Amino acid sequence: MSVLAVVVAPQGRSPSGWAELMGAASTVARLTGEPVEALVAGADGPSLEALARDLWRRGADRVWRLASDGLTEPDPDRYVAALAWAAGRLEPTTLLINGDPLGAQLGPRLAMRIGAASVTEVVDVRPGEQGRPGWVRPMYGGKAMAVVGSRQARTVVNVRPRAFAAPAARSGEPPADALVSLELDAGALPAPRLRVLERRTAASDGVRLEDARIIVSGGRGMGGPEGFQVLQQLAEVLGGAVGASRAAVDAGWVPGHLQIGQTGKMVAPDLYLAVGISGASQHLAGISGARHVVAINKDPEAPIFRAAEIGLAEDWRKVLPSLIERLAQALGRAPGSRAS
Amino acid sequence: MHLVVCVKQVLDPEMSPRDFAVDPVARRPIAGRAPLVISTFDEIALEVALQLREAVGGGTVTALTLGPRSADEVLRKAMAMQADRAVRIDPGGLGEGDAFVTASALAEAIRRKLSPFDVVLCGRQAGDTDGGQVGPMLAEALGLPMVANALRVRPGPDGSLHVERETEEGTEVVEVRPPVLLTATNAESNVPRIPKVKDVMAAHRKPIEVMAPSELGLAGEGLPARTAVEALEVPQQSRQCRMVEGDSLEERVESLVAALLELKVL
């Protein structure tokens, strides 16, 4: 009987959003009165050990460490097998996993394998029916919010990354019995069925959209790839990342991993600057976590202005060059300085 | 090569929020005049399958759906795009259902009626529930390896498939042996084809195979949903947009800069 935050760390790296996942686990545990535990699974090494301590500092009463050389690659088959094995040992009532691309696949598969219910895209929790958690999640492209209840003894929940606030960190060192290693029989992991032949990492400045504090995003109104070069300059001045709407991706102006929206990435920056984006509801669904939304669009009736707090109804071609220059002055940064 | 594409009929995701309303008692949207369409990513999955069939130079593409009679429309759309075969599982007797029920029903249909098969394709998430659960659950139910977010598939050496897929940082090419389950996501290379008028006409004359849950061993109490929607509501929009004004373009840019700095996030 516990709420178990599941953190998968292939290559031993700390995945983003683990602290916020602990926030989700604490929130659920307050509702159910259960203890908070964490399971960290990944390649053995000092970084996995450090992550286990960090999970304790962020509120896990106990951290289970599942380290195996077989978990170095983000192979979903192996992670599902490892997590199913761990779930059988630890018997949590709720397993929380971040809904990043790997986690979004692991959650429903794990639920299927262990006979649990699966709920995805969760952004909040409240008391539900039958004295159990009611999982709050957007549906219909964010046009509606649903409360979903589990009808199984065990539930696997995919939490939308960064939807919950990270709990304050406690200081000190975990007591000896708070960090426990699980010994996974190597034979429990299946042989790999996928082989990666080639990885093409798109040129980027290293800021992942999900982690970016500032995002400058363009849509159909950018008119072509050239428009995105101007956005790139604006992003450099602001120290942010460039995103795009689905229309710009479908047109081939930018690669798909820059797509923001219900059908792309869900982002939660401090500032989301939407340029030439009309604001289809599926796009707005992806930016509901943004603290501030500012929009530039030549159509004053564009739906994006209903989601924005500051708007400028103007063609970006007239505005952006002087905006970039003025912001560079105000912030003391030269446009394009990072490239030099 | 036999390619099975799972498609779902959904309320048009492009429907404006202003026209969107829910029935809070039934916990369902009120369809009103909004059209029912093929789910966006399922249409892309179909395109990915059709391109693979062309690259292989033959094979069968079967479109499979779980839904009431109205869902025949998405199967006709699939056949208009040149899918070879269309199968509908009628949900009569399956109750309210959820992703688990859907995945289990699709799995039984594929196992009992559509085998042998090489590839099962799903959209990466449905255009209504946005759950992204049926693909991974179906992979589990059929014991298949899964490649998520596929953009394009080509035949590889020795009967393998090379799947180009989207990752968090770009793309990668994965080699896998069929049978395999793929979920599809959108890219420039897989924008769904627009059917020719004659193919749309012809699709209306083609047969649709209908299967009852009892034929799939699913009738009765054997398949209870594992989740339930307990409440559904339309969130209140509270934000008021302040439009930047000014007599000249320079003034408006100046006001925008000031407003951005006031947010204290730069």
Side-chain angles (χ1 to χ4, degrees):
Chain A
M1 295 281 282
S2 69
V3 177
L4 185 70
V6 178
V7 177
V8 296
Q11 279 108 29
R13 272 200 318 240
S14 292
S16 69
W18 63 267
E20 289 85 355
L21 186 70
M22 288 309 300
S26 305
T27 309
V28 177
R30 270 196 299 277
L31 202 65
T32 62
E34 293 167 302
V36 180
E37 298 192 344
L39 167 69
V40 52
D44 203 358
S47 46
L48 202 72
E49 183 72 43
L51 180 54
R53 285 168 195 281
D54 284 339
L55 288 164
W56 176 82
R57 290 196 182 94
R58 298 282 182 169
D61 302 315
R62 178 169 289 162
V63 182
W64 305 93
R65 201 165 58 93
L66 178 56
S68 169
D69 291 342
L71 296 175
T72 308
E73 289 298 317
D75 182 325
D77 286 334
R78 293 191 152 195
Y79 270 97
V80 171
L83 297 181
W85 175 83
R89 290 277 300 267
L90 308 178
E91 301 195 328
T93 45
T94 305
L95 296 95
L96 298 166
I97 308 180
N98 262 334
D100 51 35
L102 178 59
Q105 185 181 155
L106 297 180
R109 286 185 61 178
L110 178 62
M112 198 72 174
R113 193 169 296 186
I114 65 176
S118 160
V119 186
T120 56
E121 290 291 324
V122 167
V123 296
D124 201 1
V125 63
R126 65 168 77 146
E129 291 173 7
Q130 305 176 359
R132 305 173 64 184
W135 305 102
V136 181
R137 51 156 305 187
M139 273 193 193
Y140 303 96
K143 289 195 275 278
M145 292 300 276
V147 181
V148 179
S150 169
R151 297 294 177 261
Q152 297 292 105
R154 193 171 292 170
T155 309
V156 181
V157 176
N158 277 125
V159 178
R160 189 178 280 187
R162 298 180 64 190
F164 288 77
R170 58 182 159 191
S171 54
E173 286 298 311
D177 62 347
L179 301 188
V180 188
S181 283
L182 292 170
E183 297 302 327
L184 174 64
D185 180 9
L189 294 176
R193 294 189 286 182
L194 311 179
R195 194 159 72 93
V196 177
L197 300 178
E198 189 183 340
R199 279 205 172 98
R200 297 183 208 125
T201 304
S204 78
D205 54 10
V207 186
R208 285 160 27 104
L209 279 172
E210 294 93 329
D211 301 332
R213 282 188 47 250
I214 293 168
I215 295 175
V216 178
S217 200
R220 196 191 304 275
M222 299 315 292
E226 308 76 26
F228 279 87
Q229 289 167 13
V230 184
L231 281 188
Q232 181 64 42
Q233 291 173 26
L234 179 56
E236 281 172 19
V237 165
L238 297 177
V242 172
S245 75
R246 170 143 193 209
V249 171
D250 282 352
W253 301 340
V254 289
H257 69 280
L258 296 188
Q259 184 177 321
I260 290 167
Q262 176 196 3
T263 57
K265 289 180 173 160
M266 303 290 178
V267 296
D270 291 337
L271 172 63
Y272 188 80
L273 183 51
V275 183
I277 290 178
S278 64
S281 60
Q282 72 88 0
H283 185 76
L284 301 182
I287 62 171
S288 57
R291 247 175 86 199
H292 301 288
V293 176
V294 176
I296 300 172
N297 194 300
K298 67 180 176 188
D299 174 11
E301 299 299 316
I304 187 75
F305 289 123
R306 286 201 295 277
E309 73 180 89
I310 299 166
L312 175 57
E314 198 79 68
D315 189 339
W316 66 267
R317 291 175 183 81
K318 295 185 190 163
V319 178
L320 247 47
S322 52
L323 181 67
I324 291 168
E325 199 181 303
R326 284 291 299 112
L327 281 169
Q329 285 169 4
L331 299 169
R333 294 174 205 150
S337 59
R338 226 178 335 166
S340 59
Chain B
M1 183 172 276
H2 185 199
L3 313 171
V4 179
V5 186
C6 302
V7 294
K8 182 183 187 184
Q9 186 179 48
V10 300
L11 193 61
D12 188 356
E14 302 295 324
M15 158 182 204
S16 157
R18 266 178 295 196
D19 302 329
F20 184 87
V22 299
D23 177 340
V25 178
R27 303 171 311 269
R28 268 199 291 267
I30 298 165
R33 278 169 302 165
L36 295 171
V37 299
I38 183 170
S39 183
T40 319
F41 288 112
D42 298 351
E43 193 176 357
I44 288 163
L46 199 48
E47 177 64 34
V48 170
L50 294 167
Q51 288 182 12
L52 174 57
R53 187 185 65 185
E54 284 154 17
V56 173
T60 305
V61 172
T62 301
L64 171 67
T65 195
L66 166 69
R69 186 180 283 272
S70 70
D72 282 352
E73 280 311 305
V74 299
L75 295 176
R76 297 214 183 277
K77 164 99 191 195
M79 288 191 288
M81 287 171 74
Q82 300 286 281
D84 303 282
R85 187 177 168 196
V87 177
R88 178 168 67 82
I89 309 165
D90 194 90
L94 287 181
E96 284 253 320
D98 67 349
F100 165 74
V101 172
T102 302
S104 305
L106 294 173
E108 286 309 316
I110 292 169
R111 198 169 7 226
R112 293 173 187 234
K113 305 278 189 177
L114 302 178
S115 293
F117 62 90
D118 298 284
V119 184
V120 179
L121 288 110
C122 297
R124 72 168 232 213
Q125 69 194 59
D128 51 1
T129 56
D130 310 331
Q133 294 162 299
V134 168
M137 286 180 171
L138 189 51
E140 259 324 283
L142 293 170
L144 300 178
M146 168 173 166
V147 182
N149 298 326
L151 305 174
R152 195 201 318 237
V153 191
R154 292 292 176 263
D158 305 325
S160 70
L161 292 172
H162 286 185
V163 184
E164 183 185 344
R165 61 179 291 248
E166 190 181 294
T167 65
E168 284 187 273
E169 283 95 24
T171 58
E172 65 188 22
V173 178
V174 176
E175 186 173 78
V176 63
R177 300 209 148 271
V180 59
L181 184 135
L182 311 175
T183 65
T185 192
N186 61 306
E188 191 188 0
S189 65
N190 61 29
V191 174
R193 63 197 62 193
I194 297 174
K196 298 190 188 82
V197 173
K198 73 167 175 57
D199 292 332
V200 174
M201 308 286 279
H204 279 274
R205 292 190 298 271
K206 288 185 179 162
I208 288 174
E209 299 162 52
V210 180
M211 293 170 188
S214 55
E215 288 174 69
L216 303 175
L218 296 171
E221 301 298 304
L223 204 58
R226 292 183 173 179
T227 59
V229 175
E230 296 175 354
L232 188 69
E233 59 196 37
V234 175
Q236 301 296 316
Q237 279 285 358
S238 55
R239 242 175 206 177
Q240 272 288 336
C241 185
R242 176 158 64 92
M243 297 306 285
V244 169
E245 289 177 1
D247 294 332
S248 66
L249 189 65
E250 286 71 34
E251 273 185 47
R252 291 195 285 280
V253 169
E254 212 51 49
S255 306
L256 179 59
V257 170
L260 284 170
L261 294 174
E262 265 172 41
L263 297 175
K264 301 209 181 300
V265 295
L266 296 182

